Amino acid sequence: NKKPAFSVAAELVQVPENSGCVSAHPFWNGLSEATCNRNESNRHVREGFVTGITMGDPFENGAAKCSAAELSSAVTATRCEAQTGTFVVAVVGSTDLFVPGKEPNIASDGTLSFILAQNKFGSASFSVTLQDSSGVSSDARSFTLRVTNVNHAPSFHMPQRIVGYEGTAFNSRVCPEASPGA
């Protein structure tokens, strides 16, 4: 049974905070090149993030068939099984950039997905392995996800009507809900 193998399309994934992007394969010429549905609320889905996925040899990938003699042999029978794989994504450091339970995940077809936590930015690193259905794991690959800070515009809310009386001191806050942005 040969080791599974794969490649990641980019060792650095960079996205703006509070953003969402669902893009189809191929996408990795930078975020500006991605075709995104930007109506996604902090949800990122990147098809084709993992490429060159192989479970081992052509038999393990299901591309070749074993002879009856090979199938009946205890030595070669496991080599003849078409295998499936599961990506194991392990965080190296903090996961506070993501909604709990929605940290980066890689589907068996190589699609990366995650949901960003609101108003968080920074970097997180990940180690990824591919484990085949017989329990053999690939060499680890790593990537870093960087969530960049976005300078948010200041905002305020003014009441529709402000009342003051002539000859009286005006002691009210006009904009009690002002925010400097972030």
Side-chain angles (χ1 to χ4, degrees), residues 4-36:
F6 67 96
S7 298
V8 293
E11 291 180 359
L12 175 65
V13 179
Q14 188 163 291
V15 297
E17 75 175 292
N18 302 333
S19 67
C21 180
V22 175
S23 64
H25 177 77
F27 74 94
W28 212 260
N29 290 332
L31 187 61
S32 62
E33 304 288 326
T35 304
C36 291

Side-chain angles (χ1 to χ4, degrees), residues 11-15 17 91-98 104 116 120-126 143-149:
E11 291 180 359
L12 175 65
V13 179
Q14 188 163 291
V15 297
E17 75 175 292
V91 66
V92 181
S94 173
T95 60
D96 66 342
L97 297 174
F98 310 99
L116 295 174
K120 298 280 186 174
F121 56 91
S123 293
S125 295
F126 300 89
F143 71 95
T144 298
L145 203 148
R146 182 178 300 148
V147 181
T148 58
N149 185 18

Side-chain angles (χ1 to χ4, degrees), residues 132-164:
D132 70 19
S133 51
S134 69
V136 176
S137 290
S138 68
D139 293 333
R141 301 279 183 261
S142 61
F143 71 95
T144 298
L145 203 148
R146 182 178 300 148
V147 181
T148 58
N149 185 18
V150 174
N151 186 9
H152 301 282
S155 64
F156 63 93
H157 173 74
M158 288 196 47
Q160 288 187 351
R161 192 166 126 182
I162 300 171
V163 178

Side-chain angles (χ1 to χ4, degrees), residues 36-86:
C36 291
N37 172 359
R38 297 206 186 265
N39 294 326
E40 297 292 327
S41 178
N42 292 358
R43 179 173 166 247
H44 287 261
V45 177
R46 306 297 176 88
E47 291 181 16
F49 178 71
V50 171
T51 60
I53 301 168
T54 177
M55 294 302 118
D57 65 25
F59 297 102
E60 292 167 319
N61 284 328
K65 302 293 180 206
C66 288
S67 68
E70 289 173 310
L71 286 171
S72 65
S73 166
V75 175
T76 58
T78 57
R79 178 179 166 265
C80 296
E81 292 177 16
Q83 303 205 7
T84 59
T86 302

